[in-house]
Amino acid sequence: MSQCKYCGSTSYGSGCPYSPTHKHEHSGGDEQKCVFCGSTSYGSGCPYSPTGKHKHFTGANKCIYCGSTSSGSGCPYSPTNMHEK
């Protein structure tokens, strides 16, 4: 089970006393899941992300914002329009 990288809680959402956004952000989890809510979705709709978009754990050489194996620009969900792995 993944834990918040700031406080160690297994909870998602608001309530992290140490996060700059006061939201739990997990680390060390499954690359198929969002670090803010645990969903397998990509794009908009994350209820806990500061940007409202899902951001996945790193791994499997996939972009954390869209799941593509592409590199460089062109990610429709990244705040920088770049694929990040």
Side-chain angles (χ1 to χ4, degrees), residues 6 32 48 56 60 63 80:
Y6 296 106
Q32 295 180 17
Y48 306 129
H56 285 230
C63 175
T80 63

Side-chain angles (χ1 to χ4, degrees), residues 10-73:
T10 56
S11 297
Y12 288 102
S14 299
C16 179
Y18 307 118
S19 164
T21 61
H22 299 289
K23 304 211 183 217
H24 296 288
E25 184 176 343
H26 286 224
S27 64
D30 182 348
E31 74 273 355
Q32 295 180 17
K33 294 185 178 178
C34 175
V35 299
F36 293 108
C37 71
S39 170
T40 57
S41 297
Y42 286 98
S44 299
C46 181
Y48 306 129
S49 166
T51 63
K53 294 182 180 179
H54 296 286
K55 176 182 168 185
H56 285 230
F57 293 101
T58 60
N61 199 31
K62 292 181 181 179
C63 175
I64 59 175
Y65 291 105
C66 71
S68 170
T69 56
S70 297
S71 296
S73 65

